[in-house]
Amino acid sequence: MSTIMNRCEVDINPRAIKNYIEKRVSQTSESMGLKRTHGQFLKTIYDNEGLSLKELSNEMYVDKSLTTRVIKSLIDNGFVINMNNESREYRLYLTDKGNDAVSKIEKIVNDAWDELLSELTDDEMETLTRIHMKINEKLKSDIEAHR
């Protein structure tokens, strides 16, 4: 069997997975005053405190103008603070409100993943994890090469 045929047989729709998880997160996010995609920005800041806008954009694989708009909203709503004294430069940190939001969103995301992966055996999970790590390594190296 050809490689192309194998890829077609195991076609995974990343957008469907993303939408499934975002749908699970959206109700909680909205109740906290967040748009459904803001949780990803909060989690990235949580994992990398002190990021600049450019670093956050690179880490999220989005353009800087989107990052600027989202961060302005998150700062205005008390989820994020800029700890840099210079107004044009950012060093982003979560507030207590931001940390609380990340905790709530992480639980929902983890529960959604547990549900999605519940039918996999331990061996299948190990294989999936190895494949996922290889794909992420490839993505990171390609992105770094094009910066």
Side-chain angles (χ1 to χ4, degrees):
M1 209 177 277
S2 75
T3 303
I4 293 172
M5 182 58 134
N6 288 337
R7 274 189 237 134
C8 291
E9 290 174 4
V10 290
D11 185 28
I12 296 173
N13 186 342
R15 183 173 299 278
I17 294 170
K18 178 180 179 279
N19 289 342
Y20 173 81
I21 292 172
E22 282 183 354
K23 184 176 180 182
R24 299 276 303 266
V25 168
S26 68
Q27 187 174 14
T28 299
S29 294
E30 289 168 8
S31 73
M32 292 185 288
L34 293 168
K35 294 186 178 176
R36 69 182 192 167
T37 57
H38 288 186
Q40 297 166 0
F41 283 87
L42 291 174
K43 176 68 168 119
T44 302
I45 296 168
Y46 175 85
D47 290 338
N48 305 278
E49 287 191 318
L51 285 175
S52 68
L53 289 178
K54 181 179 180 182
E55 291 165 335
L56 180 58
S57 296
N58 289 341
E59 196 68 31
M60 297 278 305
Y61 309 114
V62 297
D63 65 59
K64 192 174 173 210
S65 63
L66 172 63
T67 301
T68 301
R69 287 190 307 273
V70 170
I71 292 304
K72 180 181 180 336
S73 174
L74 291 173
I75 289 173
D76 290 348
N77 288 296
F79 292 97
V80 172
I81 56 173
N82 177 16
M83 296 293 285
N84 195 336
N85 292 332
E86 299 193 28
S87 63
R88 294 188 51 84
E89 290 196 29
Y90 285 77
R91 288 293 159 206
L92 302 170
Y93 293 85
L94 296 182
T95 63
D96 289 342
K97 184 177 179 180
N99 280 308
D100 183 52
V102 169
S103 294
K104 289 176 181 175
I105 291 169
E106 271 188 323
K107 176 162 181 8
I108 295 165
V109 169
N110 289 337
D111 289 349
W113 274 111
D114 287 348
E115 189 175 310
L116 281 172
L117 303 175
S118 65
E119 300 295 318
L120 299 181
T121 66
D122 289 344
D123 287 343
E124 290 168 334
M125 278 299 298
E126 281 183 39
T127 301
L128 179 62
T129 301
R130 280 195 314 275
I131 291 167
H132 185 253
M133 289 171 65
K134 282 185 176 184
I135 291 170
N136 280 342
E137 287 171 17
K138 174 71 172 143
L139 286 171
K140 280 190 174 198
S141 69
D142 284 358
I143 289 166
E144 289 295 322
H146 292 97
R147 281 190 183 161

